[in-house]
Amino acid sequence: MQEATAPDFAPLMATLLDALAETRSTEEALHEVDRHRRLIVPDSIFSIQQNVTTANDPEGEILLRRFYSSEAARYPVNGIKRKTPGPWTACLFLHGRVFVGEGEEALERHFDDHAQMRRQGLRRVLNVPMLQGPLCFATFNVFGTRAHWLPQEILAIRWLALAAARWVPVQPGLAYRLAGADRATSMEA
């Protein structure tokens, strides 16, 4: 019996980088990233949440505004949500690490809108912090219908986030303060 091999996404990433080199607008670039995301994880939806937190927002809260959405009818661009302190905010905004959530229980623990996700059949999430130094200025988010991520999917999505980052501006006046942060992680842009 022949063993199944993991898909090689490297040629797809090279194609994306070539396409982005010819792109002239943010909208065009993010549609190209989205097109490639659909090839990597066809059973998924995708968004970019821009961090729009300012020094005037409550300490410990992160204010996010949807900058891009593959499902704009359900998750409109410019939709706003507040995230309060927890493992998800610490992972992305304090430590600058990728968040991998698998299974409906993980979505329920970390997302207020988990019931809506369940109705859409979403069962996994990958959130990649878009960083400028230690400052997380946006999150690159992919939600899928299978329960588990494959390692090559995680790597390919991280590449997509890196490719998309140059098209997502840092919000002027961006500032946030999280419990457990030191001077280097309580940031202002």
Side-chain angles (χ1 to χ4, degrees):
M1 178 180 281
Q2 188 174 2
E3 199 172 302
T5 59
D8 179 9
F9 293 124
L12 190 61
M13 294 296 111
T15 303
L16 171 63
L17 295 176
D18 290 342
L20 290 178
E22 303 298 321
T23 302
R24 298 293 172 241
S25 74
T26 298
E27 183 178 348
E28 188 180 333
L30 294 181
H31 281 294
E32 193 64 32
V33 168
D34 194 11
R35 186 175 75 79
H36 282 75
R37 185 265 315 162
R38 290 175 197 272
L39 296 171
I40 296 163
V41 190
D43 65 330
S44 66
I45 64 173
F46 156 62
S47 70
I48 294 174
Q49 300 282 347
Q50 189 178 34
N51 185 351
V52 295
T53 311
T54 69
N56 297 328
D57 288 304
E59 185 170 337
E61 289 188 9
I62 302 292
L63 183 63
L64 300 171
R65 180 178 61 217
R66 197 170 295 109
F67 185 77
Y68 180 86
S69 176
S70 66
E71 300 288 329
R74 287 186 216 157
Y75 299 101
V77 171
N78 291 322
I80 299 238
K81 69 166 72 173
R82 285 196 184 276
K83 294 297 280 186
T84 56
W88 186 87
T89 53
C91 181
L92 289 146
F93 295 93
L94 185 58
H95 303 295
R97 291 192 318 249
V98 173
F99 179 85
V100 180
E102 297 179 316
E104 292 175 7
E105 298 80 24
L107 296 178
E108 189 173 332
R109 263 192 317 277
H110 300 288
F111 299 97
D112 295 337
D113 54 351
H114 61 87
Q116 183 180 4
M117 293 176 195
R118 181 177 288 127
R119 285 191 298 275
Q120 292 180 21
L122 301 175
R123 300 174 59 212
R124 61 183 174 153
V125 61
L126 187 64
N127 303 113
V128 181
M130 301 174 101
L131 303 171
Q132 183 178 66
L135 179 68
C136 178
F137 67 90
T139 63
F140 188 99
N141 316 293
V142 179
F143 292 83
T145 58
R146 287 194 341 259
H148 300 286
W149 291 101
L150 300 174
Q152 62 271 22
E153 291 173 325
I154 293 171
L155 181 59
I157 291 168
R158 291 177 76 173
W159 283 344
L160 289 176
L162 285 172
R166 73 176 266 214
W167 299 97
V168 180
V170 176
Q171 181 69 23
L174 176 61
Y176 60 87
R177 300 164 314 281
L178 296 174
D182 60 21
R183 202 174 205 16
T185 53
S186 295
M187 296 295 302
E188 290 189 27

